[in-house]
Amino acid sequence: MIRLGRIMRNNGSFTDFFDKSSETLGPICQIKLGPFAHMVVITDYLEIENLLLRRHQSLDRSSYTVNLFKGILPKALLTLKTDEIWRHHRKLLSTTMTPKFLRTVNPNITRSAEELVKLWQEKSKLANGRSFEAELDLESATMDAICGIALGENWNIISGYTSKLSHCTEYSSRDAVIEDGKRNEIRFRLEAPELAESVWYIFNTVPLQNPFPSLTHYFISLSPTYKKHIKRIENFLKQKIREARSKASRFSPNVAEDMANNTLDLVIAKELGNDHKISDEEIKQELFQYLLAGTETSSTTLAWWCKYMTNNPSVQRKLRDHLQDKIPDYKEQGLNYDNLSPSNVPYLEAVVHETLRIARTAGGYLRDTKEDVIILGHYIPKGTTLAFPTSTGYQDNDSSYSNENQQDNRDRRVGYWQSGTGHLFDPERWLDEEGQFNATAGPSLPFSLGQRRCFGKNLALLELRVFIAHLNLAFFFAPIPQNLNGFERFDKIISHPKDCFIRPVSWDSEEVNL
């Protein structure tokens, strides 16, 4: 048994630890979390796949995950165990991930991506060749997109930023909005609308790395500041639910469903013809989960993508050429669900999946055993927490556990990565000999697998395709000073880059060909 504290001191974040664990501790190891708690970490990809796809009946949502989030989402998919209530929620929400619905809501993502392009054009002009931080802008833009998808309207966060900057020049309003950073970067001090600030505040109250998350959150929730923010969000969502119910009541269930152009309207419409109703409180929490999960994960993945582009100019150029070749009339036609499909733009899909693979935005996934199980020859008792790290995407056929005794005697659904390439950013690894995207080219677990995999996978992939395509066609991410270009990470609920500085320039800039 290995003590987690010692490992974390040596390796930093959970994600850093998972990156090292397979090398030093083997394909399965036990980690001591405290005096009475431990977890079993499994880094063997085939065994993870076997457990999540074929033996999922023996596993369920981790109690740690439930305790971590139940303070803010006690009745949402994220914290529900796999029971009839969970299945009912999942069934009601399943239509929101279908191609038909994603085509309907795609314009919300497009508008947000276009607004972000305008903001960065304005910032680049004011920065005058200096770098600026990108992650908050990405978080704001994805929140705009998710609000439009979930509620049919967004909070215009990005357009508000742009409007404020448009009144600035190099000389006026500098003290109020623009300031010099400590590392010679430009910093922009911009305020988001109150609702957005409240969502971020509540999200940041989740008591990570705390042995008693439920109790800790209870005391946090007693503060006047917490009560102010949660009341603001609840009042807003209650009003939106009342409006949606009133609108849907004027139509039959089928008509209401056909007319729905956002998640809330669709859930209300589906409920009209369903014998098992869902309460306003449950709908409110599922919507809040949408705002949290759909914003934080996508924006952080995009932040990592910006860093990879800055350090891989040849990938930027190839992606732009690819998009222009496959969607030659994108300026008139726009970028949509169909022309951004993996079959039409396979290199874009390769860039998306390579970013997800190497960024490891989610450091890992936790499950609890519902019964005694045998894993890789080891007896694991009921109630044990299992950790499946996403760093399995680094595995290649030189990995220490990729030997005849462990790997080669089992059927492989996915391939290996080329020897020694697991840690390299290389979208080409996802393309077959014909240049088509191959989702099973090698191991990667950005959304987990099986029954409890990430519910929003299809929406997340669409968000990434739309944002990456728009940003790539608009900007070349020019080199930045080395003191701003580190790849250290820190873990909150997900794994963020410590620095995410960019210097976007137009494609007709002289720097593009340097």
Side-chain angles (χ1 to χ4, degrees):
M1 182 180 290
I2 307 297
R3 289 185 178 275
L4 182 62
R6 175 164 59 84
I7 293 170
M8 294 296 286
R9 284 193 296 273
N10 293 335
N11 294 302
S13 69
F14 269 107
T15 308
D16 294 328
F17 158 64
F18 285 145
D19 288 351
K20 299 289 185 181
S21 59
S22 62
E23 300 174 14
T24 57
L25 304 177
I28 182 169
C29 61
Q30 184 169 302
I31 305 299
K32 188 175 180 62
L33 301 175
F36 308 106
H38 63 271
M39 72 168 58
V40 173
V41 180
I42 302 166
T43 58
D44 183 296
Y45 180 83
L46 290 190
E47 191 63 23
I48 293 173
E49 188 178 83
N50 180 46
L51 286 163
L52 294 178
L53 290 179
R54 303 174 190 92
R55 300 172 66 187
H56 60 82
Q57 297 90 344
S58 300
L59 309 177
D60 204 347
R61 175 70 77 202
S62 165
S63 296
Y64 177 79
T65 303
V66 173
N67 290 333
L68 190 62
F69 290 101
K70 72 178 183 181
I72 59 174
L73 296 169
K75 297 180 180 180
L77 283 173
L78 181 64
T79 56
L80 291 173
K81 293 285 188 176
T82 310
D83 54 16
E84 288 305 312
I85 297 175
W86 175 84
R87 292 185 182 91
H88 180 52
H89 280 224
R90 182 100 174 189
K91 184 177 180 181
L92 273 178
L93 290 165
S94 62
T95 313
T96 66
M97 295 298 154
T98 61
K100 178 183 177 182
F101 185 72
L102 292 177
R103 285 188 181 92
T104 299
V105 299
N106 186 87
N108 295 287
I109 308 174
T110 297
R111 280 193 295 272
S112 297
E114 290 172 345
E115 290 294 338
L116 181 60
V117 168
K118 293 177 185 176
L119 174 64
W120 282 1
Q121 287 171 337
E122 194 69 34
K123 280 192 170 185
S124 296
K125 181 176 65 176
L126 293 168
N128 195 27
R130 292 162 69 184
S131 306
F132 57 86
E133 237 287 339
E135 190 165 7
L136 180 58
D137 294 341
L138 291 165
E139 200 169 62
S140 301
T142 52
M143 182 171 284
D144 270 342
I146 289 297
C147 284
I149 293 166
L151 306 167
E153 63 181 56
N154 67 44
W155 295 331
N156 297 310
I157 309 171
I158 292 293
S159 61
Y161 293 164
T162 307
S163 177
K164 190 167 186 178
L165 287 179
S166 67
H167 296 95
C168 297
T169 68
E170 185 179 355
Y171 305 104
S172 67
S173 302
R174 175 173 286 273
D175 291 339
V177 179
I178 308 172
E179 63 184 10
D180 295 328
K182 295 180 180 179
R183 290 183 279 177
N184 198 37
E185 80 278 20
I186 288 289
R187 293 196 172 273
F188 298 90
R189 294 184 294 180
L190 299 166
E191 294 182 359
E194 288 183 341
L195 280 166
E197 294 288 359
S198 291
V199 171
W200 289 326
Y201 175 87
I202 297 299
F203 191 66
N204 287 324
T205 64
V206 176
L208 299 172
Q209 300 180 11
N210 188 294
F212 308 105
S214 296
L215 183 62
T216 301
H217 187 269
Y218 169 75
F219 285 111
I220 292 172
S221 69
L222 297 178
S223 73
T225 302
Y226 183 96
K227 290 179 179 179
K228 177 188 71 174
H229 287 294
I230 200 70
K231 183 177 181 180
R232 179 182 292 154
I233 296 167
E234 287 183 344
N235 288 342
F236 171 77
L237 292 177
K238 285 178 183 178
Q239 178 61 31
K240 299 302 294 184
I241 292 170
R242 283 196 296 269
E243 292 171 1
R245 287 198 183 280
S246 175
K247 180 168 63 175
S249 67
R250 300 194 293 267
F251 306 99
S252 68
N254 289 338
V255 172
E257 187 171 338
D258 287 341
M259 292 177 59
N261 64 357
N262 61 77
T263 300
L264 174 56
D265 285 353
L266 185 59
V267 169
I268 296 294
K270 287 181 69 67
E271 189 201 26
L272 290 176
N274 198 309
D275 293 334
H276 301 285
K277 302 298 182 182
I278 184 170
S279 68
D280 284 4
E281 180 63 25
E282 290 171 292
I283 294 175
K284 182 184 69 179
Q285 290 196 24
E286 294 294 0
L287 290 173
F288 192 36
Q289 178 181 254
Y290 237 74
L291 297 178
L292 294 176
T295 296
E296 185 80 358
T297 53
S298 295
S299 64
T300 305
T301 302
L302 288 168
W304 285 110
W305 174 79
C306 288
K307 295 181 70 64
Y308 299 135
M309 291 302 98
T310 297
N311 289 274
N312 291 274
S314 62
V315 174
Q316 296 189 67
R317 296 185 187 102
K318 180 168 182 175
L319 179 56
R320 181 173 183 257
D321 291 344
H322 181 73
L323 290 169
Q324 290 180 326
D325 177 56
K326 297 295 184 179
I327 318 173
D329 55 350
Y330 71 91
K331 290 183 179 179
E332 296 77 28
Q333 180 183 350
L335 301 172
N336 55 54
Y337 181 89
D338 293 301
N339 61 25
L340 292 179
S341 68
S343 60
N344 189 50
V345 282
Y347 190 70
L348 170 64
E349 194 71 6
V351 170
V352 168
H353 279 260
E354 183 67 349
T355 301
L356 287 163
R357 183 191 72 85
I358 202 166
R360 294 104 69 223
T361 303
Y365 305 96
L366 304 181
R367 298 288 185 271
D368 285 351
T369 56
K370 295 166 62 176
E371 58 191 17
D372 298 346
V373 295
I374 302 295
I375 300 176
L376 293 175
H378 296 269
Y379 169 76
I380 309 295
K382 176 182 177 180
T384 300
T385 297
L386 306 179
F388 306 117
T390 52
S391 55
T392 54
Y394 279 177
Q395 291 183 21
D396 57 43
N397 55 14
D398 273 351
S399 294
S400 59
Y401 42 83
S402 297
N403 58 51
E404 291 182 1
N405 293 330
Q406 293 171 355
Q407 293 281 18
D408 296 340
N409 293 333
R410 290 174 288 168
D411 294 332
R412 266 191 94 86
R413 188 179 65 93
V414 303
Y416 288 113
W417 302 127
Q418 185 179 352
S419 298
T421 70
H423 289 73
L424 303 177
F425 182 82
D426 180 17
E428 304 284 344
R429 71 176 73 242
W430 293 96
L431 302 177
D432 62 21
E433 293 180 356
E434 286 74 41
Q436 293 303 305
F437 175 73
N438 177 13
T440 58
S444 187
L445 277 175
F447 300 104
S448 187
L449 293 168
Q451 188 179 37
R452 295 303 300 252
R453 78 173 191 181
C454 174
F455 175 76
K457 174 184 176 181
N458 294 343
L459 175 57
L461 287 172
L462 178 59
E463 271 193 284
L464 293 174
R465 291 174 194 137
V466 173
F467 272 97
I468 288 174
H470 276 88
L471 293 173
N472 173 260
L473 288 168
F475 302 113
F476 176 78
F477 290 87
I480 61 176
Q482 283 304 305
N483 68 323
L484 303 177
N485 198 29
F487 276 80
E488 295 83 7
R489 60 177 67 233
F490 70 96
D491 288 346
K492 292 200 293 186
I493 292 174
I494 56 179
S495 190
H496 294 253
K498 285 186 178 179
D499 290 328
C500 182
F501 291 96
I502 59 171
R503 197 163 61 84
V505 301
S506 66
W507 280 98
D508 57 8
S509 168
E510 294 181 358
E511 293 191 71
V512 174
N513 297 314
L514 291 179

